């Protein structure tokens, strides 16, 4: 089950059927206890049938992150921002021309484990949607 308060429109999640099979779907409507998913003909499903998708190295690479020096990075030069991952922890680099290296590092104490969490963080930091390729 997923907390619907963590979801935004366009987030990727799993829809779980009665046999326990999981299908990747995008969220297009959110209510307190129900979520409507793409290609469900608008029929909302109860939140217990929606699960988060585990964030993997393959998803990061397929979604445009590059592996450099044991970390995954995505650059958003329009916003002077780099987002890095190491052991599931987020490192945010604000490229501002200040300091010895030209950037400031902000470390998150929260571990990002799921695709929707990465989508939400990226949107919050950049104002742009991250193109997730599963």
């Amino acid at each position: 089950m997923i907390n619907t308060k963590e979801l935004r429109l366009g987030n990727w999640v799993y829809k779980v059927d009665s046999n326990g099979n999981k299908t990747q779907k995008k969220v297009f409507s959110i209510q307190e206890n129900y979520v409507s998913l793409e290609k469900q003909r608008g029929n909302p499903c109860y939140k217990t049938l929606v699960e988060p998708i585990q964030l993997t190295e393959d998803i990061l690479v397929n979604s445009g992150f590059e592996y450099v020096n044991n970390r995954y990075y995505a650059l958003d030069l329009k916003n002077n921002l780099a987002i890095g991952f190491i052991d599931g922890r987020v490192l945010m680099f604000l490229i501002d021309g200040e300091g010895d290296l030209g950037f400031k590092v902000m470390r998150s104490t929260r571990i990002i484990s799921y695709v929707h969490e990465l989508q939400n963080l990226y949107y919050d930091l950049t104002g742009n949607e991250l193109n997730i390729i599963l």
Side-chain angles (χ1 to χ4, degrees), residues 4-5 7-9 27-32 34-36:
T4 57
K5 292 180 181 180
L7 294 176
R8 286 185 326 101
L9 301 182
V27 173
F28 76 84
S29 177
I30 305 164
Q31 300 171 16
E32 185 176 347
Y34 295 91
V35 178
S36 293

Side-chain angles (χ1 to χ4, degrees), residues 15-31:
K15 162 71 166 74
V16 184
D17 69 16
S18 57
N19 295 320
N21 298 315
K22 296 178 181 181
T23 307
Q24 300 164 343
K25 300 277 186 179
K26 267 190 176 182
V27 173
F28 76 84
S29 177
I30 305 164
Q31 300 171 16

Side-chain angles (χ1 to χ4, degrees), residues 4-108:
T4 57
K5 292 180 181 180
E6 292 181 4
L7 294 176
R8 286 185 326 101
L9 301 182
N11 280 155
W12 282 99
V13 294
Y14 281 128
K15 162 71 166 74
V16 184
D17 69 16
S18 57
N19 295 320
N21 298 315
K22 296 178 181 181
T23 307
Q24 300 164 343
K25 300 277 186 179
K26 267 190 176 182
V27 173
F28 76 84
S29 177
I30 305 164
Q31 300 171 16
E32 185 176 347
N33 292 312
Y34 295 91
V35 178
S36 293
L37 305 170
E38 68 175 353
K39 299 180 184 171
Q40 293 289 119
R41 289 185 234 119
N43 296 328
C45 58
Y46 195 66
K47 67 181 181 181
T48 58
L49 301 175
V50 177
E51 292 184 3
I53 298 174
Q54 187 74 39
L55 187 60
T56 65
E57 291 181 4
D58 285 342
I59 292 172
L60 287 172
V61 170
N62 292 341
S63 301
F65 282 73
E66 294 184 34
Y67 190 71
V68 179
N69 296 329
N70 298 318
R71 293 186 178 119
Y72 289 93
Y73 292 96
L75 292 175
D76 183 341
L77 296 177
K78 183 175 109 181
N79 291 301
N80 295 325
L81 180 74
I83 299 173
F85 280 92
I86 185 167
D87 298 327
R89 295 206 187 272
V90 177
L91 302 173
M92 293 163 276
F93 300 89
L94 181 61
I95 304 165
D96 63 0
E98 294 181 18
D100 295 339
L101 299 175
F103 59 86
K104 297 178 185 175
V105 178
M106 299 167 281
R107 296 181 186 266
S108 170

Side-chain angles (χ1 to χ4, degrees), residues 8 118-130:
R8 286 185 326 101
L118 176 61
Q119 287 179 285
N120 295 348
L121 174 70
Y122 190 88
Y123 183 80
D124 288 346
L125 293 174
T126 68
N128 297 314
E129 296 293 342
L130 179 60

